[in-house]
Amino acid sequence: MTELSFAALDLPANQLLNLDALGYHTMTEIQARALPLALAGKDLVAQAKTGSGKTAAFGLALLQHLNPRDFGTQALVLCPTRELATQVAEEIRRLARFQQNIKVVVLCGGQPIGPQIGSLEHGAHVVVGTPGRIQDHLRKQTLSVERVKCLVLDEADRMLAMGFIEDIRAIIAHTPETRQTLFFSATYPDDIAAMSRDFQRSPEHIHAASLHTETQIAQHWFSCERQSKLDALSTLLGHFQPEACVVFCNTKQMTRDVVEALSEQGIHALALNGDMEQRDRDQVLVQFKQGSCRDLVATDVAARGLDIDELPAVINMDLPRDPEVFIHRIGRTGRAGKNGLALSLCTHQDEYLVAQISDFQEDAIAPKPISAISSHNATLPAPAYRTLCIAGGRKDKVRPGDILGALTGEAGLEASAVGKIQVLEYAAYVAIESKLAKQALGRLINGKIKGRKFKVRIL
């Protein structure tokens, strides 16, 4: 596909400047195929792999059809998990910076419904949420979708697999028949086809490349005994030395076992699984994204909301039973044209899974024994950053600039010592160089942010 500039699209000049500032210079395949149609108001069924740029594809389209002076909900985006909904909302806010006063509200379970109702009372141009919580608000009549112009189902196949089909159908029934309906899905099962027939008008079908080329993602396979898997993982980390890595496991217990084993070897890793409280999951994700944790050990369900542009490597500690899941896993690295690394461990008992993945990829897999590589430096460097949690967020009118100002002003830190800053509804997180984290903590505890005192702690 020829790379295309966003300037080729019928977008406002201010939006093009905003895209350039955000680093959106050329369109990905799914963007180049979907955006002209979506901007023209067409219904779409778009298949694309994880990390293909689909959020910008539907985000730019729905923003173009908004009336900023109308604070009724004009766009509705349904996502399978709270983590994904939060990330989609953040990206839409970034894309909307060229416009004044575009309000994006997140409605998900795992959070008190009261503050969400309060947010909706002040209006929302765009609502992003999970089907269950959207249904709650419709039943309570605290959300109206009668003026929705654009409805998006993101990771539609995942939502249906999670049992949301009846909720989704009920939500769609509340929206106008004249709406634009966009389905984004990695696969195209019969349920998606049926919903498309029921709710879309002459949809255009788009299929972006779903498999990963060798130039994007270097795959390496290693065989070992089942009882030696933990040692084999340490060998991989020591040999390849990835700056950041997601280790995929098939069970929640395995994530805990892996983290415990790595910790005993002095390797700082965090688990991400469905048994964790939502707040704990949020904080683990923030630490990983901010570089204060190098290795994240996760199950597939827990990792669904993980969206990182530059992830150097993934490791399959366990092989999934579905080859498509394998493709989604390794697709989290090698994004946006960057090179990635996918390392997979397999045992004698996994031979049939290796064969399935080999057939699916149409590429022969020849695992090497783990003994073929050496762990020349088993002691990995400590994370470059520590994450500080501030008990104040968007609801407290705290902005990233306020936190940076407090750290470089009263706290006396150099701006270069401050990493990524993420401001959520009720909390904010900032990465500080590890050697300066305690100093920054003390200064913020005894100082103020935007003239106010907030509780601060190191995660």
Side-chain angles (χ1 to χ4, degrees):
M1 185 202 71
T2 303
E3 287 190 336
L4 296 176
S5 167
F6 284 93
L9 300 172
D10 185 19
L11 294 172
N14 285 345
Q15 177 63 293
L16 292 174
L17 290 172
N18 180 47
L19 287 171
D20 191 61
L22 293 173
Y24 284 91
H25 304 304
T26 56
M27 289 185 279
T28 65
E29 182 179 0
I30 192 63
Q31 291 163 358
R33 293 187 180 188
L35 272 168
L37 297 168
L39 289 169
K42 300 282 188 181
D43 284 6
L44 294 180
V45 176
Q47 286 181 257
K49 68 180 183 181
T50 301
S52 59
K54 56 188 173 65
T55 304
F58 63 73
L60 288 170
L62 67 84
L63 287 171
Q64 283 305 104
H65 302 304
L66 294 183
N67 176 3
R69 293 183 295 277
D70 178 2
F71 277 83
T73 299
Q74 300 167 57
L76 176 63
V77 183
L78 299 180
C79 300
T81 65
R82 178 187 170 192
E83 290 90 351
L84 181 61
T86 299
Q87 290 171 6
V88 166
E90 289 177 359
E91 186 62 16
I92 292 175
R93 290 188 185 105
R94 281 164 30 99
L95 295 171
R97 284 177 186 170
F98 79 104
Q99 293 173 284
Q100 292 292 320
N101 301 319
I102 296 299
K103 187 175 179 184
V104 181
V105 169
V106 179
L107 303 178
C108 298
Q111 293 179 314
I113 200 169
Q116 295 178 356
I117 294 172
S119 293
L120 290 171
E121 287 175 348
H122 294 93
H125 297 98
V126 182
V127 168
V128 184
T130 49
R133 182 51 61 94
I134 297 292
Q135 266 283 73
D136 292 341
H137 283 282
L138 291 174
R139 280 193 291 265
K140 291 178 177 291
Q141 298 185 338
T142 50
L143 169 67
S144 171
V145 293
E146 295 175 354
R147 302 214 293 278
V148 164
K149 300 176 184 177
C150 182
L151 170 69
V152 180
L153 270 62
D154 192 12
E155 295 198 6
D157 53 348
R158 295 291 182 190
M159 285 192 284
L160 299 191
M162 293 168 71
F164 284 131
I165 188 166
E166 294 305 322
D167 282 338
I168 292 171
R169 286 184 172 275
I171 292 166
I172 294 176
H174 283 82
T175 62
E177 291 186 3
T178 55
R179 73 188 178 271
Q180 179 185 29
T181 309
L182 309 176
F183 289 1
F184 283 78
S185 182
T187 59
Y188 191 61
D190 291 342
D191 287 344
I192 298 286
M195 289 190 68
S196 177
R197 289 192 298 269
D198 291 344
F199 297 114
Q200 291 189 301
R201 296 171 296 170
S202 303
E204 299 279 353
H205 287 253
I206 296 168
H207 191 284
S210 60
L211 299 182
H212 314 289
T213 65
E214 190 66 24
T215 55
Q216 288 176 313
I217 301 173
Q219 292 193 47
H220 298 280
W221 288 74
F222 298 95
S223 60
C224 65
E225 297 297 326
R226 179 181 290 180
Q227 63 270 23
S228 304
K229 268 192 172 184
L230 292 171
D231 290 335
L233 174 62
S234 300
T235 298
L236 292 180
L237 292 172
H239 181 84
F240 289 96
Q241 298 273 311
E243 291 185 11
C245 176
V246 176
V247 180
F248 282 102
C249 301
N250 288 348
T251 67
K252 292 175 280 192
Q253 184 58 48
M254 191 60 163
T255 65
R256 291 187 284 265
D257 292 344
V258 170
V259 167
E260 183 179 348
L262 292 178
S263 297
E264 289 175 356
Q265 298 173 46
I267 299 173
H268 178 57
L270 293 174
L272 186 69
N273 62 57
D275 280 349
M276 299 166 63
E277 294 291 333
Q278 189 65 56
R279 185 185 68 173
D280 295 331
R281 290 165 66 184
D282 289 344
Q283 291 181 356
V284 165
L285 283 170
V286 166
Q287 289 178 78
F288 187 64
K289 291 179 183 179
Q290 292 191 339
S292 55
C293 165
R294 293 171 60 102
D295 302 303
L296 183 67
V297 186
T299 56
D300 291 297
V301 172
R304 277 182 193 150
L306 183 62
D307 189 12
I308 297 175
D309 289 334
E310 297 185 25
L311 178 62
V314 296
I315 297 178
N316 289 293
M317 181 75 176
D318 301 318
L319 293 181
R321 297 188 178 278
D322 184 345
E324 286 197 14
V325 172
F326 176 86
I327 296 299
H328 293 319
R329 284 183 181 183
I330 70 172
R332 295 179 183 278
T333 185
R335 293 186 172 194
K338 296 182 175 64
N339 290 328
L341 179 65
L343 309 173
S344 299
L345 291 173
C346 58
T347 66
H348 176 70
Q349 293 87 349
D350 296 327
E351 287 179 358
Y352 75 102
L353 296 175
V354 176
Q356 288 177 0
I357 294 168
S358 179
D359 290 343
F360 191 80
Q361 293 191 127
E362 297 180 355
D363 187 25
I365 296 172
K368 298 177 183 177
I370 193 67
S371 57
I373 62 172
S374 61
S375 177
H376 57 76
N377 185 3
T379 305
L380 297 175
Y385 293 94
R386 297 288 304 276
T387 294
L388 270 60
C389 175
I390 301 165
R394 281 194 295 269
K395 290 296 184 183
D396 303 289
K397 309 299 183 185
V398 173
R399 299 170 301 178
D402 301 323
I403 297 170
L404 180 61
L407 288 166
T408 57
E410 289 185 31
L413 269 66
E414 295 290 334
S416 59
V418 183
K420 294 179 181 178
I421 300 174
Q422 184 174 2
V423 180
L424 304 181
E425 293 291 306
Y426 300 100
Y429 302 92
V430 55
I432 305 292
E433 285 186 1
S434 295
K435 62 184 178 182
L436 299 173
K438 290 185 178 179
Q439 175 186 329
L441 175 66
R443 299 280 178 86
L444 286 183
I445 288 175
N446 295 312
K448 294 182 178 180
I449 300 172
K450 206 173 182 179
R452 297 174 56 190
K453 280 189 170 292
F454 290 96
K455 291 181 179 178
V456 187
R457 62 189 177 90
I458 296 179
L459 294 181

